[in-house]
Amino acid sequence: MIHSTSRVLVSDLRAHVDQTVTVSGWVNALRLQRKMQFVILRDHSGMAQVTHKRDGGPLEAVIESLTPESAVRITGRVVAAAQVNLGGLEIVPETVEVLNRAETPLPIDEHTGPEHRLDWRFLDVRKRATAQMVFAAQTTLEQGLREYAMQNGCTEMHTPKLMGTASESGAEVFKLGYFDRSAYLAQSPQFYKQMAVAAGIDRVFEIGPVFRAEPSFTSRHATEFTGVDIELSWIDDVEDVMAFEERMLAHAIAKVAEVHGEAIQEIFGIEVVVPEAPFPRITMAEAQEILRAGGWDPEGVKEDLDPEGERTIAAHMKELTGHEFVFITHYPASIRPFYHMRPADRPDLTLSFDLLWKGLEITTGAQREHRSDVLLKQAEEKSMDTEPMQDYMNIFRFGCPPHGGLGAGLGRILMVMLGLDSIREAAFLFRGPNRLTP
Amino acid sequence: MIHSTSRVLVSDLRAHVDQTVTVSGWVNALRLQRKMQFVILRDHSGMAQVTHKRDGGPLEAVIESLTPESAVRITGRVVAAAQVNLGGLEIVPETVEVLNRAETPLPIDEHTGPEHRLDWRFLDVRKRATAQMVFAAQTTLEQGLREYAMQNGCTEMHTPKLMGTASESGAEVFKLGYFDRSAYLAQSPQFYKQMAVAAGIDRVFEIGPVFRAEPSFTSRHATEFTGVDIELSWIDDVEDVMAFEERMLAHAIAKVAEVHGEAIQEIFGIEVVVPEAPFPRITMAEAQEILRAGGWDPEGVKEDLDPEGERTIAAHMKELTGHEFVFITHYPASIRPFYHMRPADRPDLTLSFDLLWKGLEITTGAQREHRSDVLLKQAEEKSMDTEPMQDYMNIFRFGCPPHGGLGAGLGRILMVMLGLDSIREAAFLFRGPNRLTP
């Protein structure tokens, strides 16, 4: 299958006027008129019009037989045609090769509901510019995050997703058969990235899947999502972690704004605002005080913020500071994991934070407790059995440096950045309690 | 915990002669003499000597109490000292703060065997420059791979590791409880990256975990490893995939050679040779002919190559071409998955390849069969039940472009590049049939 002409992208046609080129893509639309046949061909770079004057020949028959979304390769001459909306160009075809014919009708159309669209996700993504944009933005976002991390001394790690014992809490963990025993899927790389810190990896960076066996059906939850994890050694305090994150995010968001800002504005109608560091900070106690003064007092949520509380405090801080981001700091020890470090004078609090962007939690971070005896005490206080966690507890017995880090959800960042309604739109193939396919 | 002086790395001490600095790191060694106390402090950038003249004061007592591998923060004056081996510098300490005291004795030492070292992997990695180097090289290698992929139009994808049905074959798949049903861990992103291609993502790049429930105990196998996956749309033939891979590898290896070449030579005694593209190619039939002429005829290995065969043919090609890499092409259909495309005139072969580096298989790739009817026929021929694979088969019904790609093992690439004895050394935390910890 050697082709005399190699593929030209639709976006590059302008450079080939009066030349014969080969384009490959999908039949976006067909207009079959009495005298003329028009094919709108789409590739990932754009759309072009293919114009064929009926002549009763074999080419006419091939075009007549096309179906929407068929994969085709078309060789033809690029002609300037001022009347054509698509770039003032058209292709006059010499050959039209059907590489893969699309069945008719397509299983989804513009009226299809969200769940059924997920069933046919590949068609849904292919046909919607908004969906394509998510992955382009994700790619650039990751490049930006990684770039900052690497420039600031991070080593990229791949920690195991298979664990011998359930991490942290037994809840929300998937269990699997592992030869003649059981294994568990990591809820986060938390313990392993701390192990990397104890291994002398000065700063750890990981982007990878995390698994939550949580029966949550909200627009913000998935059972599998992509986590962005950082862990920093030899920190002075949790402020080092927050400073790292705000600079990393500002760097990455600036990159997205630069590369895709206009397209995002056009497609999603949303402005990507590059945040200035430092981001505003507010303690959990202050946040609660402000919220309660405003009448917020949800049942069952005593020490944490509920989503409404998060949105309200973020709006408050936006009004106060003009900033889309806010760090909520000093979460109560009662609602944070046993390994979060606590201020020396306030054992009821933790040196931890959540980061909200436009009111949605996108990150949790903390300084970790690296002193074996204190950690053990904190685990006991939470009635945890440290026996199955012996490998983890061992980290702290042989010279573990002070450290802290964060875990962010890539999908949530994208969701806020692009104004998506649901985390389902921010993943290529969503996984939830009721969805394991396609 | 605000510190008046921020951390200085050991590698930067030269710039601070006659200044007071704070260094943080581990006690690499202690020499407690009658008149003098010496601490060799190690951070990730190097080692420095801390020299304290005994004076009966509290500092003397702190230093006396140190243990090897304790995490310490030392503030002191940097002094030029020509007699000191470590850079002709020493630090005269003012304060020594023990951040985390290491218990004695350490659970591993230089005589510890490989399995027990894996039990204490964090200490093993911390204390060995060779182990640290693996992750530095891995980070640069990934940067190089990603850089090439991005410059050549790839979108970075994160495909699900949780599947609703077992992929390809039911064998070698981990099964887990998923709410009231079962799920399976992806053996590779194969089906999902093909779905991305069908979704109009022109070129797909993914680095992520893959899971193999394979009871293999060789030095090359792991039950969880990091896969590097590429899938390219609108290819003309499998040669496009091989051309992409050889250029991507050459780019990434050149980057590793540039950044770490000297250190790798020094630490591992191995030269990182930047390969020239194109890499040599040989068909499986030719390879077998050459091997059999040389007396190779292992029992039970009729159509595939065994590891010895791979090493022998690679050595043969090295002698012939001077090249460390070789593509073995045209694997028999009988030993390749049903979705590999076959040459029109040779239904017994596939348009597939393996890539060997110094005789070790590091990649498998192919052009995929994108024609629904042919694919179905090939599945039937292998007696596969396509019913559970309906979501996969659907990809090919609505305009799937011709495509092909590859899957490479990151650990295997590192193993060859650094001359490691075992894949266990190429992962931070190895996972095998008998190992789920730490």
Side-chain angles (χ1 to χ4, degrees):
Chain A
M1 286 210 281
I2 302 301
H3 297 278
S4 50
T5 47
S6 63
R7 182 188 186 197
V8 168
L9 294 184
V10 164
S11 58
D12 295 334
L13 284 179
R14 169 65 48 198
H16 294 272
V17 173
D18 294 331
Q19 293 170 18
T20 297
V21 301
T22 297
V23 290
S24 300
W26 291 272
V27 174
N28 193 68
L30 279 168
R31 277 186 294 138
L32 305 173
Q33 301 180 353
R34 201 169 55 88
K35 290 194 172 166
M36 303 291 289
Q37 294 172 309
F38 298 97
V39 181
I40 306 301
L41 177 117
R42 185 186 74 242
D43 69 15
H44 67 284
S45 75
M47 290 201 263
Q49 179 173 304
V50 178
T51 307
H52 182 246
K53 192 173 172 181
R54 288 185 189 270
D55 55 7
L59 189 52
E60 180 181 331
V62 172
I63 294 176
E64 201 69 15
S65 78
L66 291 177
T67 55
E69 290 307 315
S70 285
V72 294
R73 178 161 48 209
I74 297 179
T75 298
R77 197 172 172 78
V78 183
V79 176
Q83 81 281 8
V84 175
N85 281 332
L86 294 166
L89 297 173
E90 62 187 1
I91 297 172
V92 179
E94 291 159 19
T95 62
V96 172
E97 194 182 346
V98 182
L99 300 171
N100 191 269
R101 190 178 182 281
E103 292 177 22
T104 53
L106 297 171
I108 55 170
D109 60 27
E110 62 276 23
H111 306 298
T112 307
E115 277 303 316
H116 192 48
R117 282 200 286 120
L118 288 188
D119 290 339
W120 292 94
R121 182 67 168 155
F122 73 89
L123 266 181
D124 177 46
V125 168
R126 192 202 299 167
K127 295 188 58 156
R128 282 195 302 128
T130 50
Q132 297 273 341
M133 191 68 222
V134 172
F135 307 111
Q138 176 180 274
T139 300
T140 305
L141 176 69
E142 285 190 46
Q143 281 180 311
L145 296 171
R146 210 173 249 114
E147 202 169 74
Y148 182 89
M150 298 304 150
Q151 283 166 3
N152 286 276
C154 288
T155 298
E156 186 153 9
M157 302 297 286
H158 301 282
T159 63
K161 308 310 160 202
L162 295 173
M163 313 182 85
T165 48
S167 61
E168 305 191 31
S169 67
E172 303 181 358
V173 174
F174 290 113
K175 183 178 178 176
L176 59 130
Y178 192 83
F179 304 96
D180 54 353
R181 53 191 284 205
S182 293
Y184 304 85
L185 291 182
Q187 284 177 296
S188 94
Q190 185 60 44
F191 286 6
Y192 295 132
K193 66 183 179 171
Q194 291 189 262
M195 216 172 267
V197 157
I201 311 291
D202 198 57
R203 295 175 162 203
V204 178
F205 178 80
E206 178 162 9
I207 295 188
V210 296
F211 305 92
R212 304 276 164 93
E214 204 178 341
S216 294
F217 298 86
T218 78
S219 62
R220 308 175 309 281
H221 288 90
T223 52
E224 175 180 353
F225 61 90
T226 304
V228 179
D229 271 86
I230 308 278
E231 202 71 25
L232 309 174
S233 297
W234 304 109
I235 60 170
D236 286 334
D237 56 36
V238 66
E239 178 58 39
D240 291 346
V241 181
M242 291 192 279
F244 190 99
E245 177 167 36
E246 63 199 359
R247 281 165 182 78
M248 179 174 72
L249 281 174
H251 178 88
I253 293 169
K255 192 154 178 154
V256 173
E258 187 194 321
V259 180
H260 308 291
E262 264 181 62
I264 291 172
Q265 177 74 65
E266 195 179 316
I267 295 176
F268 296 93
I270 199 165
E271 189 192 354
V272 179
V273 177
V274 180
E276 270 182 49
F279 298 175
R281 286 135 168 80
I282 185 172
T283 66
M284 180 56 131
E286 287 164 351
Q288 294 232 351
E289 200 176 315
I290 289 164
L291 285 170
R292 290 191 198 285
W296 175 85
D297 198 8
E299 275 183 63
V301 183
K302 290 279 176 283
E303 296 174 296
D304 208 347
L305 298 180
D306 60 347
E308 191 215 322
E310 290 179 343
R311 283 191 295 272
T312 309
I313 200 67
H316 172 85
M317 293 300 285
K318 173 89 201 287
E319 207 176 292
L320 214 64
T321 65
H323 212 289
E324 293 181 348
F325 288 85
V326 56
F327 282 114
I328 315 276
T329 68
H330 297 87
Y331 276 69
S334 58
I335 55 168
R336 288 302 218 191
F338 74 102
Y339 56 76
H340 281 192
M341 189 180 266
R342 303 177 186 179
D345 56 344
R346 287 294 303 269
D348 58 325
L349 297 181
T350 54
L351 295 169
S352 71
F353 63 89
D354 274 12
L355 177 60
L356 312 183
W357 187 8
K358 296 188 187 176
L360 185 71
E361 181 216 308
I362 58 165
T363 300
T364 294
Q367 175 160 8
R368 322 302 182 185
E369 180 53 65
H370 67 282
R371 295 161 300 182
S372 197
D373 52 338
V374 182
L375 189 63
L376 211 56
K377 217 183 86 216
Q378 291 182 182
E380 271 163 24
E381 189 192 301
K382 287 194 182 268
S383 307
M384 296 186 70
D385 179 10
T386 52
E387 179 51 35
M389 290 191 293
Q390 207 46 57
D391 280 323
Y392 177 66
M393 300 307 287
N394 281 342
I395 300 176
F396 309 96
R397 293 172 50 206
F398 299 99
C400 186
H403 63 284
L406 61 93
L410 191 64
R412 289 214 179 165
I413 297 175
L414 281 169
M415 209 179 141
V416 179
M417 179 182 273
L418 304 177
L420 307 175
D421 288 336
S422 165
I423 199 86
R424 288 157 185 73
E425 288 284 326
F428 175 46
L429 297 167
F430 172 72
R431 290 294 179 256
N434 289 339
R435 181 167 287 281
L436 271 172
T437 55
Chain B
M1 285 213 281
I2 303 300
H3 298 275
S4 49
T5 47
S6 64
R7 182 189 186 196
V8 169
L9 294 183
V10 165
S11 57
D12 295 334
L13 284 178
R14 169 65 50 196
H16 295 272
V17 173
D18 294 332
Q19 293 170 16
T20 297
V21 301
T22 297
V23 289
S24 300
W26 290 272
V27 175
N28 192 69
L30 279 168
R31 276 187 296 138
L32 304 173
Q33 301 180 350
R34 200 167 56 87
K35 291 191 171 168
M36 302 291 289
Q37 295 172 310
F38 298 98
V39 181
I40 307 300
L41 176 118
R42 186 188 73 241
D43 69 15
H44 66 285
S45 75
M47 290 200 262
Q49 179 171 305
V50 178
T51 307
H52 182 245
K53 193 174 171 180
R54 287 185 189 271
D55 56 6
L59 188 51
E60 180 180 330
V62 172
I63 294 176
E64 202 68 14
S65 77
L66 290 177
T67 55
E69 291 306 317
S70 285
V72 295
R73 178 159 49 208
I74 297 178
T75 298
R77 196 169 173 81
V78 183
V79 176
Q83 80 282 7
V84 175
N85 281 333
L86 295 166
L89 295 174
E90 62 187 1
I91 297 171
V92 179
E94 290 161 19
T95 63
V96 172
E97 195 182 345
V98 181
L99 301 172
N100 190 271
R101 189 177 182 282
E103 291 178 22
T104 55
L106 296 171
I108 57 170
D109 61 28
E110 62 277 24
H111 307 297
T112 307
E115 276 302 316
H116 192 49
R117 281 200 286 119
L118 288 188
D119 290 339
W120 293 94
R121 181 67 168 157
F122 73 90
L123 267 180
D124 177 47
V125 169
R126 193 202 298 167
K127 295 188 59 157
R128 284 194 301 129
T130 50
Q132 296 274 341
M133 192 67 221
V134 172
F135 308 112
Q138 176 180 275
T139 300
T140 305
L141 177 69
E142 284 190 46
Q143 282 179 310
L145 296 172
R146 208 173 251 115
E147 205 169 74
Y148 182 88
M150 298 304 149
Q151 284 166 3
N152 287 275
C154 287
T155 298
E156 188 153 8
M157 302 297 286
H158 300 282
T159 63
K161 308 311 159 201
L162 294 174
M163 311 181 87
T165 49
S167 61
E168 307 190 30
S169 67
E172 304 183 359
V173 174
F174 290 113
K175 183 177 178 178
L176 59 130
Y178 193 83
F179 303 98
D180 54 353
R181 54 192 282 206
S182 295
Y184 304 85
L185 291 183
Q187 286 177 295
S188 94
Q190 185 60 45
F191 288 5
Y192 296 132
K193 66 183 180 172
Q194 291 189 262
M195 215 173 266
V197 157
I201 311 291
D202 197 56
R203 295 175 161 202
V204 177
F205 178 80
E206 176 161 12
I207 295 188
V210 295
F211 305 92
R212 303 276 164 95
E214 204 180 342
S216 294
F217 297 88
T218 78
S219 61
R220 309 174 309 280
H221 289 90
T223 51
E224 175 180 352
F225 62 90
T226 303
V228 179
D229 272 86
I230 307 278
E231 202 70 26
L232 309 175
S233 297
W234 304 109
I235 60 170
D236 285 332
D237 55 37
V238 65
E239 178 58 39
D240 290 346
V241 182
M242 292 192 277
F244 190 98
E245 177 168 36
E246 64 197 0
R247 281 165 182 77
M248 178 174 73
L249 281 174
H251 179 88
I253 293 169
K255 190 154 179 156
V256 173
E258 185 195 321
V259 179
H260 308 291
E262 264 181 61
I264 290 171
Q265 177 74 64
E266 195 181 314
I267 296 175
F268 296 93
I270 200 165
E271 190 193 353
V272 179
V273 177
V274 180
E276 270 182 48
F279 298 176
R281 286 136 167 79
I282 185 172
T283 67
M284 180 57 129
E286 287 163 350
Q288 294 232 353
E289 199 176 317
I290 290 164
L291 286 170
R292 291 193 199 282
W296 175 86
D297 197 9
E299 278 181 62
V301 183
K302 291 277 177 285
E303 295 173 300
D304 207 348
L305 298 181
D306 60 346
E308 193 216 320
E310 290 179 343
R311 282 191 295 273
T312 309
I313 201 67
H316 171 85
M317 293 300 285
K318 174 89 200 292
E319 209 177 288
L320 213 66
T321 65
H323 212 289
E324 293 180 348
F325 288 84
V326 56
F327 282 114
I328 315 275
T329 67
H330 297 87
Y331 276 69
S334 57
I335 56 168
R336 289 300 220 193
F338 74 102
Y339 55 77
H340 282 193
M341 188 180 266
R342 303 178 186 177
D345 56 346
R346 286 296 302 270
D348 57 326
L349 298 182
T350 55
L351 295 169
S352 70
F353 63 87
D354 274 11
L355 177 61
L356 312 183
W357 187 9
K358 295 187 187 176
L360 185 71
E361 180 216 308
I362 58 166
T363 300
T364 294
Q367 175 160 7
R368 322 303 181 185
E369 181 52 67
H370 67 283
R371 294 161 299 183
S372 199
D373 52 338
V374 181
L375 189 64
L376 211 56
K377 214 184 89 215
Q378 292 182 182
E380 271 163 23
E381 188 193 299
K382 288 195 183 268
S383 307
M384 296 186 70
D385 179 10
T386 52
E387 177 51 36
M389 291 191 293
Q390 208 45 58
D391 279 322
Y392 177 66
M393 300 307 288
N394 280 342
I395 298 175
F396 308 96
R397 293 172 50 207
F398 300 99
C400 185
H403 63 285
L406 60 95
L410 191 64
R412 289 213 179 167
I413 297 175
L414 281 169
M415 208 179 143
V416 179
M417 180 182 272
L418 304 177
L420 306 176
D421 289 334
S422 166
I423 200 88
R424 288 157 185 74
E425 289 285 325
F428 176 46
L429 297 167
F430 171 73
R431 291 293 180 254
N434 290 337
R435 182 166 286 281
L436 271 172
T437 56

